[in-house]
Amino acid sequence: MVNEVFQKTMVAAGVDFEILQDGTVKLPKNLSVEKLKSISVELEGFGIKIQTKENRDIVEEIKIYIKKMVYEGDIRNVKISESLSNQLGFSYPYLSNLFSSKTFTSIENFYILVRIEKVKELVLLDNTSLSEIAHDLNFSSVPHLSNQFKKVTGLTITQYLKFRKK
């Protein structure tokens, strides 16, 4: 039903579009603001809201992207600031200020928290050394990893392992 209404509205407005695999719609870059507003008003009557870069939840996208990077990607020697800017299409200072204003923490702190969560998982798998974990998760050294772990969890890695094994 929604797909049908959307397609009819776009065809009637003479706007080309492409429905991507994830269900999002790609509109032409040269679509005028007036035309977009007109289509938005018509679609809102059917309960369909067009999400643009201006009204999407960028903070949630930052969180998802960081988690995806840490859990699925190779983050060795990756600068989070450059990677986020390239991925989301905004300057890092803008993203950083927005993130801090909405979450009361920095992107860097969130990045550290996510990496420490991954460290917790990896140290429980007895087959990965701390130096491998530090290297794979972009910590400068094992002492740096250990210090960050203690700062975030309040426990040393050894204390954490003993606690988890009980």
Side-chain angles (χ1 to χ4, degrees):
M1 165 78 178
V2 170
N3 197 14
E4 219 174 278
V5 169
F6 178 80
Q7 287 182 356
K8 284 182 182 178
T9 303
M10 298 306 278
V11 169
V15 175
D16 293 328
F17 63 94
E18 178 184 356
I19 299 176
L20 304 176
Q21 286 181 337
D22 65 358
T24 59
V25 176
K26 185 176 180 181
L27 297 174
K29 291 185 181 203
N30 62 352
L31 185 64
S32 71
V33 174
E34 295 81 22
K35 186 78 139 181
L36 184 60
K37 283 182 182 178
S38 166
I39 293 168
S40 292
V41 168
E42 191 169 336
L43 290 173
E44 282 179 11
F46 295 100
I48 302 170
K49 184 168 176 62
I50 293 181
Q51 188 176 45
T52 63
K53 283 187 178 182
E54 289 76 34
N55 67 4
R56 69 184 183 188
D57 191 350
I58 297 171
V59 171
E60 195 57 33
E61 287 185 45
I62 291 169
K63 289 178 179 181
I64 290 167
Y65 183 70
I66 289 173
K67 287 176 183 177
K68 188 174 182 180
M69 278 180 56
V70 171
Y71 281 87
E72 298 172 13
D74 181 5
I75 60 171
R76 289 176 286 195
N77 302 317
V78 169
K79 289 188 176 182
I80 191 73
S81 57
E82 289 177 16
S83 187
L84 275 172
S85 290
N86 292 337
Q87 177 68 23
L88 300 176
F90 294 99
S91 71
Y92 186 74
Y94 171 77
L95 294 173
S96 180
N97 288 333
L98 178 66
F99 192 87
S100 296
S101 71
K102 301 279 186 183
T103 64
F104 305 105
T105 191
S106 68
I107 290 174
E108 186 60 33
N109 282 341
F110 182 77
Y111 180 53
I112 291 168
L113 290 173
V114 173
R115 290 188 302 159
I116 294 301
E117 286 303 311
K118 179 74 173 177
V119 170
K120 287 179 184 179
E121 292 176 17
L122 293 174
V123 296
L124 293 173
L125 303 171
D126 292 326
N127 60 349
T128 310
S129 73
L130 284 180
S131 51
E132 287 175 304
I133 294 171
H135 178 70
D136 290 347
L137 293 179
N138 210 16
F139 289 96
S140 60
S141 63
V142 172
H144 180 229
L145 163 63
S146 298
N147 288 336
Q148 290 291 331
F149 192 92
K150 171 105 179 175
K151 191 185 288 185
V152 170
T153 65
L155 301 170
T156 65
I157 294 174
T158 306
Q159 290 169 330
Y160 175 75
L161 288 170
K162 285 180 185 175
F163 176 75
R164 288 293 298 193
K165 288 182 180 177
K166 287 184 181 179

